[in-house]
Amino acid sequence: MNIKLMGAGRTLADPAAYANDDRIHKALALLRREAPVHWVEAPGYRPFWAITRHADVMEIERQPDLFRNAPRPILVPDAMEKRTAAQGTNFRTLVSMDGAEHRQVRAIGTDWFGPGALRHLETRVTELARQYVDRMLEFDGECDFVTDIAVHYPLDVILSLLGLPRSDFPRVLSLAKELLGNADQEINGGRGAEGFVAVQQELLTYFNELTAARRATPTTDLASAIANARLDGALLSEFDAASYYILIATAGHDTTSASIAGGLQALIENPQQLRQLQDDLTLLPTAVDEMIRWVTPIKCFLRTATEDYVLRGTTIRKGDSVLLSYPSANRDEDLFEEPFRFDIRRTPNRHLAFGFGVHYCLGAALAKMEARAFFAELLPRLDSVQLAGKAELFATNFIGGLKHLPIRYKLR
Ligand code: HEM
């Protein structure tokens, strides 16, 4: 076994590697070049095949019957997998479903993220974008853009859509952060698997109360639609309803805030492009797509092979896990011209930050709308912006992005 490749493979599972852009991208580039279908045995994790080329990620996602999400859709340490399975606290979400069940459950939410619903939501999103840019004025020209602004705005959007009271936002925000940033010491305080299970249970209690309230008194929000949805005539179990809210609250929040914060950092580091975008806001749609490619907040999802399958001459055995590396696919030299260049005009931009196929991100259009609304409000009012300290990334192999972005700015 080639030691360099072995190290690169293990890097994919190492949360700390994602806090260091150079380190992770060096490892990914090596795998793309020399071992695009690579068997990884990383300490603490069940082994998996690392899939690092764009075309291969698509080939797998295009065949959901051959590569299923259950039973291992995300990369968590072996000990944690066993513990949550034993305690029955593994949330059952779209992400762990396949086939007809996935289609039916996904359909409950689809309309809420379609063009009609988004048009309806646009006014609210624009209003929130303005409020958050206004909030930047309160910091006297200097803030941590991530913790002061970016983490709050998308959560505000998503929790408004779900229909939760604003007074509950801080509690849900901190629980969602703990659930997702669990590998990062600054967030979980080193509590590990035990802390993870405790957070899951607290969220469950909170959301079970929500289900009961919406069943007693239905309203017009998404939580009510989920609580009162019927599959084959029956309501969802409390656990499945809670899983649905949690998926939406968690999937829709850190990912979008990471894209907005990482997008701003990319603009600061490319001042010419910042100016061009300020001069011509019609570039926002391509700029936002490029920000999302650039950041690629979700580092991976996994699939499990239901049959032996040959990919690039390598046999993936039935029952093996494959890890789809989105950050790698989105820097694939075979598809992207100068993939390491941030380019607000990049077209086409066939990035896989939202995945592909039947599990394609349900909230992709909403996420893009939020980012566009934010920059449409910020950029015309921004006279200057620069880094005011060291930008720091989360140490996580799941949903990542900036943890801190200290900035100094002049805003009108
Ligand atoms: C699924 C990325 C924002 C809700 C996914 C997947 C990715 C992803 C990679 C898995 C796709 C696959 O397996 O092929 C992102 C990124 C976002 C974002 C990068 C922001 C920039 C949102 C928002 C929401 C959302 C705003 C909702 C409010 C979901 C849901 C799924 C999902 C419900 C599961 C879909 C399924 O399994 O059928 N997202 N997402 N996401 N996302 Fe997003």
Side-chain angles (χ1 to χ4, degrees):
M1 172 60 102
N2 177 326
I3 299 282
K4 260 169 95 177
L5 288 177
M6 207 165 95
R10 288 181 171 186
T11 306
L12 261 75
D14 178 3
Y18 293 86
N20 180 336
D21 245 352
D22 272 358
R23 185 172 161 218
I24 189 68
H25 280 297
K26 254 190 204 138
L28 295 174
L30 181 71
L31 291 173
R32 274 197 306 279
R33 205 169 51 241
E34 293 185 21
V37 182
H38 180 64
W39 185 244
V40 177
E41 294 181 7
Y45 292 87
R46 285 198 286 126
F48 55 84
W49 292 99
I51 310 297
T52 44
R53 294 241 184 118
H54 187 283
D56 297 345
V57 172
M58 285 193 50
E59 184 169 332
I60 288 174
E61 293 221 54
R62 197 178 276 134
Q63 305 181 79
D65 293 332
L66 277 179
F67 292 98
R68 293 170 78 82
N69 281 40
R72 190 191 185 192
I74 60 174
L75 184 68
V76 289
D78 202 13
M80 207 178 284
E81 260 183 283
K82 288 199 178 106
R83 191 154 189 159
T84 46
Q87 300 192 353
T89 48
N90 236 340
F91 289 124
R92 263 171 45 81
T93 70
L94 287 176
V95 161
S96 54
M97 293 176 189
D98 294 286
E101 184 188 34
H102 171 257
R103 267 194 305 281
Q104 279 187 320
V105 175
R106 186 171 162 116
I108 297 172
T110 315
D111 282 352
W112 288 82
F113 298 98
L118 291 190
R119 265 196 306 277
H120 204 66
L121 206 61
E122 195 162 8
T123 317
R124 174 80 185 128
V125 171
T126 308
E127 188 184 294
L128 283 170
R130 177 158 315 138
Q131 280 174 21
Y132 278 95
V133 174
D134 282 346
R135 191 182 283 186
M136 286 175 73
L137 290 170
E138 294 165 18
F139 291 93
D140 219 14
E142 208 165 312
C143 74
D144 180 338
F145 182 73
V146 175
T147 55
D148 293 327
I149 305 295
V151 296
H152 304 283
Y153 162 62
L155 191 75
D156 219 328
V157 174
I158 205 66
L159 298 187
S160 311
L161 179 70
L162 270 173
L164 303 194
R166 287 196 81 119
S167 52
D168 289 358
F169 286 13
R171 182 166 163 220
V172 181
L173 171 66
S174 82
L175 288 172
K177 267 175 82 165
E178 285 198 59
L179 195 70
L180 294 174
N182 199 266
D184 195 284
Q185 292 289 315
E186 191 173 310
I187 284 186
N188 82 358
R191 280 194 306 281
E194 233 163 72
F196 187 70
V197 171
V199 168
Q200 281 187 322
Q201 253 146 10
E202 204 177 328
L203 276 168
L204 204 55
T205 307
Y206 176 86
F207 283 121
N208 285 348
E209 284 165 14
L210 179 68
T211 301
R214 290 300 187 274
R215 284 183 181 164
T217 317
T219 56
T220 55
D221 54 35
L222 175 55
S224 192
I226 292 169
N228 295 294
R230 289 182 183 269
L231 292 184
D232 299 326
L235 291 169
L236 296 183
S237 70
E238 267 191 337
F239 189 73
D240 285 355
S243 296
Y244 215 131
Y245 313 130
I246 289 167
L247 173 66
I248 290 188
T250 51
H253 139 239
D254 272 355
T255 45
T256 312
S257 60
S259 304
I260 292 173
L264 181 62
Q265 182 188 16
L267 290 175
I268 294 172
E269 287 169 354
N270 295 274
Q272 235 183 345
Q273 297 203 45
L274 169 60
R275 270 193 303 280
Q276 287 168 6
L277 192 54
Q278 283 184 300
D279 287 347
D280 183 2
L281 288 180
T282 65
L283 292 171
L284 265 176
T286 51
V288 161
D289 250 321
E290 180 67 345
M291 291 173 187
I292 294 169
R293 179 190 77 90
W294 194 246
V295 174
T296 309
I298 297 205
K299 305 309 168 194
C300 61
F301 271 113
L302 274 72
R303 301 288 188 260
T304 301
T306 58
E307 303 284 341
D308 286 2
Y309 188 84
V310 178
L311 185 62
R312 287 190 194 271
T314 299
T315 303
I316 294 167
R317 297 267 169 226
K318 175 177 175 177
D320 284 354
S321 302
V322 293
L323 177 145
L324 311 174
S325 175
Y326 298 120
S328 182
N330 287 346
R331 294 288 192 279
D332 189 339
E333 301 74 4
D334 278 356
L335 190 85
F336 297 101
E337 212 173 290
E338 295 187 75
F340 286 89
R341 192 165 63 85
F342 178 77
D343 177 5
I344 56 167
R345 290 189 168 79
R346 187 179 291 277
T347 21
N349 192 346
R350 284 191 281 268
H351 68 74
L352 294 178
F354 292 117
F356 183 73
V358 296
H359 285 274
Y360 181 78
C361 175
L362 196 57
L366 173 62
K368 291 197 220 183
M369 182 170 98
E370 286 177 54
R372 278 196 313 269
F374 186 82
F375 286 103
E377 181 65 30
L378 174 71
L379 295 177
R381 296 170 57 183
L382 191 65
D383 288 332
S384 70
V385 61
Q386 64 207 76
L387 288 182
K390 201 169 156 297
E392 253 182 85
L393 290 164
F394 275 113
T396 171
N397 54 25
F398 186 27
I399 301 188
L402 285 166
K403 179 157 72 171
H404 298 293
L405 182 68
I407 56 169
R408 191 170 303 124
Y409 50 92
K410 285 208 181 92
L411 188 71
R412 274 173 280 141

